[in-house]
């Protein structure tokens, strides 16, 4: 039987980040032995993804940052765009392949972290730890005994919620014949897309040069589209809204991120915890997860290094999750006009403060200052009805 102090299940954003933070020695701190288990290539492994987040100054994973922007743009359905300089913050883009390469290179030099390719079938608690039951190459069963287990495998189903919307999107990495993009500005929300009957839609543009960008069509709505539906929406957006002209599609990206007010349990047993998206790191109102899972894995690694009980902290405060529950309800019921609300926030709240708000790093007074730009009636009605609504499985 394999043994380690720490088993990390899943080598996505959360698993890799935690293993990276635990790799190597830190003077005066413990150096736990770590086994990082990831599914073999195949259906359990997600495809390449693009992760964006914002921070000021240099970051731990800067070597994997492909592009970064200090200007963000939001476009209302009609009328002029709203541009915001977010200095001292930077909106950073990391491609998951680059992240994987960077972390893998560092882990190769790390004597206390070992990697294993196997599909985890179950995790069983035993006295003073847990057993991770796996199927390795060739169908061989293996067991890893660990004092602590951090599981980032996606949840099989979503926990019961009052409101669940899906943030679902499809994107093209495009090359255009003529210069079509402003490489200094990331376009977060372009609401010139036709709005769906329920929820909202927008375009999202991450330009990496005048001729190259990731262009996505995104919806916050109850149901995903068919492949044809995304194709049609993106063709319309790139041709009829952006007027890109001749476009070469270099690669594509598709995703679904649940936006839910369900409490996501992080503690599965006394030695077994969930981290990452599976551990509630997704901010319900935006779908951003990368920054939240960095906060979580940083805290877990610090606790392990100091010999403390490494319970992952909530990535978002109770206040942030409560505000998000109200916003999700207001959007899902159609009580608020999503494009109008997001444009209003970007117009009226200084962008660095809005981004700190979205990261849950604002104080109560700043939150109230942001909140007063939301339409009071629909938000209060949504807040008032929440306690009486049952939580339903989706
Ligand atoms: C296309 C896309 C784009 C996104 N863009 C952003 C963004 O710009 N900004 C942002 O903040 N968030 C973004 N997100 C949300 C979130 O950051 C990502 O989903 C992120 O990958 C979550 O990291 P994770 O480690 O929790 O899960 P994952 O990265 O999905 O990792 C889960 C890991 O578990 C492994 N696994 C699964 N089953 C098993 C098993 N049985 N045994 C062993 N291993 C297993 C998988 O191989 C995988 O490595 C995006 C999501 C998607 C899908």
């Amino acid at each position: 039987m394999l043994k380690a102090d720490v088993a990390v299940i899943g080598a996505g954003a959360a698993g890799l980040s935690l293993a990276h933070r635990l790799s190597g020695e830190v003077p005066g701190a413990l150096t736990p032995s770590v086994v990082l288990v990831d599914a073999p290539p195949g259906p359990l492994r997600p495809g390449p993804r693009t992760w964006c987040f914002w921070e000021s100054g240099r970051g731990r994973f800067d070597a994997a940052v492909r592009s970064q922007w200090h200007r963000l743009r939001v476009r209302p359905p009609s009328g002029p765009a709203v541009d915001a300089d977010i200095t001292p913050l930077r909106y950073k883009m990391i491609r998951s392949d680059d992240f994987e390469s960077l972390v893998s290179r560092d882990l190769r030099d790390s004597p206390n972290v070992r990697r294993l390719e196997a599909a985890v079938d179950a995790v069983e608690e035993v006295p003073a730890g847990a057993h991770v039951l796996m199927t390795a190459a060739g169908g061989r069963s293996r067991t890893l005994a660990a004092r602590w287990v951090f599981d980032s495998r996606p949840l099989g189903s979503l926990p019961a919620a009052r409101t669940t919307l899906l943030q679902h999107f499809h994107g093209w990495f495009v090359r255009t014949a003529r210069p079509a993009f402003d490489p200094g500005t990331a376009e977060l929300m372009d609401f010139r897309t036709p709005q769906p009957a329920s929820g909202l839609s927008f375009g999202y543009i991450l330009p990496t040069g005048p001729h190259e960008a990731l262009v996505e069509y995104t919806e916050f709505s109850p149901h995903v589209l068919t492949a044809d539906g995304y194709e049609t929406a993106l063709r319309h957006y790139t041709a009829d809204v952006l007027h890109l002209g001749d476009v070469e599609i270099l690669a594509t990206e598709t995703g679904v991120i649940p936006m839910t007010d369900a409490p996501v349990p992080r503690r599965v047993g006394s030695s077994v915890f969930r981290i990452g998206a599976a551990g509630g790191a997704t901010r319900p109102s935006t779908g951003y997860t990368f920054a939240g899972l960095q906060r979580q894995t940083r805290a877990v690694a610090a606790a392990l290094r100091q010999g403390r009980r490494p319970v992952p902290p909530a990535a978002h405060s109770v206040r942030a999750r409560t505000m998000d529950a109200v916003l999700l309800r207001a959007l899902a019921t159609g009580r608020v006009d999503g494009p109008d609300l997001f444009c209003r926030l970007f117009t009226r709240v200084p962008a660095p403060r809005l981004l700190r708000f979205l990261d849950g790093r604002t104080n109560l007074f700043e939150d109230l200052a942001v909140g007063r730009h939301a339409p009071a009636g629909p938000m209060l009605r949504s807040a008032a009805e929440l306690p009486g609504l049952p939580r339903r499985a989706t």
Side-chain angles (χ1 to χ4, degrees):
M1 188 187 300
L2 286 163
K3 288 195 175 142
D5 297 323
V6 176
V8 179
I9 305 177
L16 287 172
S17 300
L18 181 57
H20 194 256
R21 290 176 187 281
L22 290 172
S23 69
E25 293 190 1
V26 173
L30 300 172
T31 309
S33 57
V34 179
V35 173
L36 171 62
V37 188
D38 199 22
L44 294 173
R45 279 246 188 123
R49 282 145 298 157
T50 309
W51 295 315
C52 286
F53 59 101
W54 48 88
E55 63 184 354
S56 61
R58 285 195 53 74
R60 181 180 184 93
F61 300 112
D62 268 5
V65 169
R66 272 282 176 107
S67 295
Q68 50 181 297
W69 300 269
H70 67 92
R71 264 198 322 274
L72 299 182
R73 180 171 296 150
V74 170
R75 285 184 192 269
S78 60
V82 186
D83 282 11
D85 190 326
I86 60 168
T87 305
L89 298 171
R90 290 289 179 274
Y91 192 71
K92 297 184 176 180
M93 175 179 107
I94 289 182
R95 303 230 49 218
S96 57
D97 286 348
D98 296 338
F99 189 71
E100 159 78 32
S101 308
L102 172 74
V103 174
S104 296
R105 198 188 58 214
D106 290 351
L107 293 186
R108 264 198 298 277
D109 302 331
S110 171
N112 66 316
V113 181
R114 180 173 166 193
R115 296 190 70 159
L116 201 69
E117 224 170 69
V120 171
D121 304 310
V123 179
E124 288 174 358
E125 286 233 89
V126 295
H131 284 172
V132 179
L133 311 180
M134 308 171 280
T135 306
R140 193 158 64 100
S141 297
R142 296 193 77 175
T143 302
L144 164 64
R147 173 70 189 89
W148 305 108
V149 175
F150 299 92
D151 192 349
S152 70
R153 284 174 298 162
L155 299 174
S157 59
L158 290 175
R162 295 191 173 105
T163 314
T164 299
L165 285 177
L166 300 176
Q167 177 175 150
H168 52 104
F169 47 91
H170 182 63
W172 292 341
F173 290 86
V174 296
R175 185 179 295 137
T176 55
R178 64 168 182 84
F181 303 109
D182 166 6
T185 305
E187 300 218 12
L188 281 195
M189 293 176 139
D190 179 352
F191 290 110
R192 293 176 298 170
T193 49
Q195 294 302 307
S198 175
L200 57 93
S201 78
F202 55 89
Y204 176 66
I205 308 175
L206 298 176
T208 47
H211 294 265
E212 276 112 31
L214 169 60
V215 182
E216 290 190 349
Y217 172 81
T218 302
E219 285 191 13
F220 294 178
S221 64
H223 305 291
V224 297
L225 305 184
T226 60
D228 278 352
Y230 290 116
E231 193 77 13
T232 307
L234 257 176
R235 288 227 171 274
H236 172 262
Y237 182 55
T238 51
D240 302 334
V241 178
L242 299 178
H243 304 291
L244 293 185
D246 284 340
V247 160
E248 186 187 351
I249 300 168
L250 307 171
T252 65
E253 172 171 299
T254 305
V256 182
I257 305 174
M259 304 166 78
T260 170
D261 66 359
V264 182
R266 299 180 302 284
R267 191 189 298 232
V268 183
S270 49
S271 302
V272 184
F273 307 105
R274 290 211 182 97
I275 54 168
T282 303
R283 178 91 202 235
S285 60
T286 63
Y288 284 104
T289 312
F290 194 80
L293 65 83
Q294 292 308 333
R295 287 195 288 276
Q296 247 183 10
T297 55
R298 192 186 307 129
V300 167
L304 286 165
R305 294 265 191 204
Q306 291 158 15
R308 289 186 283 113
R309 202 174 151 65
V311 183
H316 309 288
S317 68
V318 173
R319 192 165 79 232
R321 282 182 282 134
T322 307
M323 290 186 298
D324 285 7
V326 175
L327 177 60
L328 282 180
R329 189 77 205 152
L331 287 174
T333 53
R335 278 188 202 123
V336 298
D337 176 337
D340 180 63
L341 172 63
F342 287 111
C343 291
R344 211 185 312 178
L345 288 176
F346 261 90
T347 314
R348 301 194 184 166
V349 182
R353 183 191 293 176
L354 189 57
L355 293 179
R356 277 197 300 114
F357 170 78
L358 293 178
D359 255 349
R361 289 190 293 112
T362 37
N363 61 36
L364 175 63
F365 296 105
E366 290 174 309
D367 288 356
L368 292 172
V370 172
R372 82 189 161 83
H373 298 295
M379 298 303 268
L380 288 174
R381 219 179 122 200
S382 301
E385 78 177 5
L386 275 179
L389 290 174
R391 292 189 192 277
R392 291 208 180 87
T394 315

